[in-house]
Amino acid sequence: MPSTTTVCAVALEPQSTEQSLKRVRCDTKTRALPRTTLVEPTVAKFPLPGKLPRVLTNLGVGIETVDSKVALQYSVHACPRRMRREIGLVFPDVVGKESELLILPTFQRTESSMLSYQAETQAEKDAKLHMFYRWGAELVSRLCEKGYWADITDPMSGLALFTNCGPSLYPDVEGAEVLLRYAPFNLGNCFVLSHPHWGTHVYPATAFTLAPIEAVRQVLSSMQQDCHQ
């Protein structure tokens, strides 16, 4: 797994922005997915719970959103060998079970490019963060109810959110590079995600579980079905 690197949005001068976006367009060609991919990238709508799940309430995270649904892209991957050592440093609870771990990178499409520090961009980031918290907490809750370990990392810090934290942080952008071959580009000390269809208009976040793929499929399917009821 690549070393942890600061991932941030940056404010660029107009010429620099244009040059960067040209580079993004060159790097967003769809590439063949790795063999560790168990569920290919899928865009779906999920309901957001009316009440915060208990696991999220216990964290004291203040979340306010009027959204009742979230649309996001997700996929499911077996943990590649190259990531297993670092994963154990992010989640001490999975040490010795890294080969059983499934990783679910998610992406929400944004109106704003994540290259900006403008006020409206920050507000949209906060909204996407809040929606991922709620979606992720619901996923974790349902998997835990079935007796499986599950967690999400906080996109703001890279730390485990519901279980024990290790000394390392999980980098969503570099994880997308390994799991999906999405090519990030380097802006100074920052790596910026480039989605093959949405470019820099994307908010990444990641979930993890030791549940078997059949259980994960079942939970995701039941969550989507709830959206149509």
Side-chain angles (χ1 to χ4, degrees):
M1 182 178 180
S3 59
T4 302
T5 306
T6 301
V7 178
C8 60
V10 293
L12 301 174
E13 296 299 325
Q15 182 178 4
S16 177
T17 302
E18 182 178 354
Q19 292 172 346
S20 298
L21 293 180
K22 285 181 179 178
R23 186 162 66 251
V24 171
R25 286 192 286 269
C26 292
D27 291 341
T28 54
K29 296 179 181 178
T30 302
R31 304 180 182 187
L33 295 171
R35 285 187 241 178
T36 53
T37 303
L38 303 177
V39 176
E40 294 190 2
T42 303
V43 177
K45 288 185 178 180
F46 296 87
L48 294 175
K51 294 182 179 180
L52 295 178
R54 185 178 60 182
V55 287
L56 190 56
T57 304
N58 290 345
L59 291 173
V61 179
I63 296 179
E64 296 181 4
T65 176
V66 297
D67 297 281
S68 61
K69 299 178 182 179
V70 61
L72 53 77
Q73 175 191 301
Y74 71 89
S75 53
V76 185
H77 308 260
C79 185
R81 289 183 180 275
R82 64 184 289 191
M83 295 178 69
R84 291 176 187 174
R85 180 180 177 278
E86 286 295 325
I87 283 291
L89 296 175
V90 177
F91 301 107
D93 294 345
V94 307
V95 171
K97 302 177 183 178
E98 294 91 341
S99 62
E100 303 171 31
L101 187 73
L102 300 183
I103 306 174
L104 291 76
T106 73
F107 306 90
Q108 295 179 69
R109 189 172 186 174
T110 61
E111 293 293 330
S112 304
S113 168
M114 294 296 100
L115 292 173
S116 173
Y117 272 140
Q118 306 244 340
E120 57 268 25
T121 301
Q122 189 57 52
E124 187 174 18
K125 286 181 183 178
D126 290 343
K128 299 302 183 185
L129 173 65
H130 295 170
M131 285 190 279
F132 174 72
Y133 278 160
R134 300 188 79 144
W135 177 87
E138 180 68 11
L139 176 70
V140 168
S141 177
R142 294 195 187 202
L143 288 170
C144 288
E145 286 176 0
K146 292 179 175 292
Y148 302 115
W149 179 95
D151 202 353
I152 59 177
T153 46
D154 189 338
M156 297 294 290
S157 66
L159 293 171
L161 199 50
F162 300 134
T163 61
N164 295 318
C165 296
S168 291
L169 311 176
Y170 183 79
D172 294 301
V173 170
E174 294 178 59
E177 181 181 13
V178 174
L179 297 170
L180 290 159
R181 294 177 177 160
Y182 289 177
F185 61 98
N186 194 336
L187 290 174
N189 293 324
C190 302
F191 279 96
V192 179
L193 177 66
S194 172
H195 188 280
H197 303 297
W198 304 334
T200 59
H201 291 249
V202 64
Y203 190 89
T206 314
F208 308 80
T209 184
L210 289 174
I213 184 60
E214 294 80 9
V216 175
R217 289 180 188 271
Q218 183 181 31
V219 167
L220 289 170
S221 177
S222 67
M223 290 173 66
Q224 291 177 59
Q225 289 173 6
D226 289 348
C227 196
H228 301 292
Q229 293 180 357

